[in-house]
Amino acid sequence: MGSHLAGKLGCVVLLATHEAELTDFYTRLGFTLSPDGIGIPMPTGFICHGPIKGFRFSVKPLRTGVQMKAMPTLYERQLVLQGVLPLPR
């Protein structure tokens, strides 16, 4: 059987897009609310997900080594995720 690269990398974060009134629900489940969006530094550039009217972004790391830091970006202040692309072993 062959192996697929995505299977080796796996999922390192869960991202939930939700209504503002569900913020407490996701916080109780271990998610961190992003101030205005999500930013992910990539080898080829910076992927940004800006605010969606009426919705919020919340993130939960599934692996150690993922760091979340609120930083100024193109979309005001975003939760920037670092360490989301570990190299396959």
Side-chain angles (χ1 to χ4, degrees):
M1 290 182 82
S3 63
H4 190 274
L5 182 59
K8 289 181 181 180
L9 293 176
C11 184
V12 295
V13 293
L14 281 180
L15 170 62
T17 303
H18 57 85
E19 293 86 355
E21 58 268 16
L22 292 176
T23 299
D24 289 340
F25 170 77
Y26 282 103
T27 300
R28 286 192 302 270
L29 293 176
F31 284 79
T32 300
L33 178 68
S34 174
D36 292 303
I38 303 292
I40 305 172
M42 303 285 283
T44 57
F46 193 74
I47 295 178
C48 297
H49 297 284
I52 299 172
K53 188 175 180 179
F55 290 89
R56 300 287 183 267
F57 291 114
S58 288
V59 178
K60 181 177 183 180
L62 299 179
R63 286 191 188 169
T64 58
V66 175
Q67 298 176 4
M68 300 185 294
K69 220 184 274 189
M71 299 174 64
T73 66
L74 298 172
Y75 296 107
E76 303 296 329
R77 219 166 49 103
Q78 291 189 327
L79 197 63
V80 174
L81 305 176
Q82 298 175 327
V84 297
L85 293 174
L87 296 174
R89 297 185 191 263

